[in-house]
Structure formats: C-alpha cells, structure tokens
Amino acid sequence: MCGRFDQNDIARRYVAAFGWADAVYDSAARPTFNAAPGTYRPVLHLVDGKLHVDDLHWGYRASWAADKLPVSVNARLEKLTNNYWSRLLKNGRAVVPASGWYEWTGAKGKRQPWHIHRKDREPLFMLALADFRPLRDDNPENKAESGFVLVTADAEGGMVDVHDRRPVVLNAADAATWLDPELPREQAEMLARQMALGPEAFEWHRVSTEVNYAGRDGEHLVVPLPDDDETDEDKA
C-alpha cells in the first residue's frame, strides 16, 4: 500500500517534468515531505485536452457507500474493473506527481519507515483515480465523495522486502496516455499492468520515525539514517 508520500516540489516543476509546457492551475497546496491521507494534494488530470492541476482530498468513498464502506486511500489494480471502481477508471483517471513515497517494515510498535524513490531521482507519476464532481450541496461534510486514491499493484517481491504493495508509477509519456479520456478503460487497465515501472527503477533507504506523525514536515524527514543505526536484522 502507500500511506504517505513525498511531494516536496511545486506543482509547476512537476508539470514541467511531465513534459507539458503549461497547465491550468487551481492548486494552493504547499509542497510537503509528508503528505498524509485526509489532506488536499495537487492532482493532474485532463479537461478538454488541457492539463489541469487541482487540489483533491486524499481518500475516496462513493456517496452511496457512506454507511457501508470505509474511506479508501488506495485501489488495487486487480480490482479496478469491478463495480465500485469502474466508473472512475472510465471518467476519473488522474496522476499524482511526487518525489517518493514511504513504506514501513518491522513489528507493530517498532515500525521502521523507508523512503522509496527513483534511482535517477526523477519525479514519480503515480496513477490515481478521482471523482472530480463537486460535493453535493446536501452533504458538504463528505470530503471523500470528491477525493482520490492511488492505484497499487503487487510489489514483485516486496520492493526487496520493504512491502508487498507499491503505487503504480509510469514514465511521463505513459502517464499522459493514462490520462487520455479517449483511452478505453480496458486499455487503461492494461497500460497500468504492462508499463508500470518495476523494482529495478527504484532505490530506498531508512528514514527517521518522525515521518510516522502526520503534520511533521521538513527535508530532514527524507535524510537516510546512518548505517550504524541498522538493527541486527538489517545486517543479517
């Protein structure tokens, strides 16, 4: 899964890395090294052929499911064509740009966070599903009704034993294809399966447990822990 991510650059730089000359910006979210569920983060999507950057609530639950299902922050790639996600797969494909994401290892109470990023340190373009319709007037508190989720897939060995799930990350050109509303949902799902970057594209290091706390922020959160802080299990 992905429960936190590092989105520490401004939206305009992510758009430039995406390969688009310009976009329509409706985003006031500040960069953060510790984006957490329930916050509003910049999301890329296409509207009438133009790239838009909008701040969306991280977490989605269909309005009809408010009393039936919990809010989701991730959607499994292998379930995107089911009844719950298929509408968003058709009309709500989005991309969340980031510099990395976090995963945790270890027993409960001794969880060790890891920062995962591309080896070339280029931005990540994580696939997402979102509902871009405005909140209903009769339910203004249900923020998740117009939220987003990150698409996750099997980590092919747990990103070398860091975790068994990972966000689906594409190169910029493939991510742009994912956004194309003319792409049928079946082909979009196939694109995500076939073109997702594999473990060989990434590297990771252990970081401070301070990232465990939502609201903590700063560049120090992504600094690698020194090797002498490794546990005996890490060294084995």
Side-chain angles (χ1 to χ4, degrees), residues 37-132:
T39 60
Y40 284 79
R41 302 310 312 160
V43 173
L44 312 182
H45 64 115
L46 287 179
V47 179
D48 297 328
K50 293 183 178 180
L51 189 66
H52 282 240
V53 184
D54 292 312
D55 292 340
L56 267 65
H57 177 270
W58 184 13
Y60 171 78
R61 179 171 57 196
S63 57
W64 59 263
D67 298 324
K68 303 175 182 179
L69 296 172
V71 174
S72 298
V73 297
N74 299 146
R76 287 175 174 258
L77 176 59
E78 55 268 30
K79 294 185 177 182
L80 295 191
T81 57
N82 69 18
N83 291 336
Y84 191 73
W85 297 115
S86 61
R87 182 181 65 82
L88 297 188
L89 181 61
K90 180 180 179 181
N91 299 315
R93 295 195 296 269
V95 166
V96 176
S99 300
W101 80 91
Y102 300 95
E103 297 292 2
W104 281 259
T105 57
K108 187 176 181 180
K110 296 182 179 180
R111 304 286 281 169
Q112 173 60 59
W114 298 72
H115 186 276
I116 304 174
H117 45 272
R118 286 182 57 145
K119 288 181 178 178
D120 58 13
R121 295 292 179 153
E122 289 296 311
L124 310 180
F125 298 109
M126 303 187 293
L127 301 193
L129 297 178
D131 194 329
F132 295 101

Side-chain angles (χ1 to χ4, degrees), residues 173-227:
D174 292 325
T177 300
W178 163 266
L179 292 183
D180 185 354
E182 298 300 318
L183 184 72
R185 55 186 161 193
E186 295 80 8
Q187 293 184 28
E189 192 255 359
M190 186 179 300
L191 173 74
R193 288 181 180 276
Q194 296 182 348
M195 303 309 294
L197 299 182
E200 68 281 354
F202 302 95
E203 62 184 10
W204 45 89
H205 58 253
R206 296 176 308 117
V207 294
S208 169
T209 54
E210 189 176 345
V211 78
N212 296 353
Y213 301 94
R216 301 283 178 88
D217 207 352
E219 188 173 0
H220 65 286
L221 296 180
V222 302
V223 173
L225 292 182
D227 291 341

Side-chain angles (χ1 to χ4, degrees), residues 120-170:
D120 58 13
R121 295 292 179 153
E122 289 296 311
L124 310 180
F125 298 109
M126 303 187 293
L127 301 193
L129 297 178
D131 194 329
F132 295 101
R133 296 178 300 179
L135 288 173
R136 296 182 307 166
D137 292 339
D138 63 341
N139 196 14
E141 298 302 318
N142 186 17
K143 298 176 182 178
E145 182 181 321
S146 297
F148 76 89
V149 293
L150 296 177
V151 178
T152 66
D154 185 272
E156 300 179 28
M159 297 294 282
V160 188
D161 299 327
V162 172
H163 205 275
D164 63 344
R165 305 288 300 179
R166 62 184 170 90
V168 176
V169 178
L170 299 188

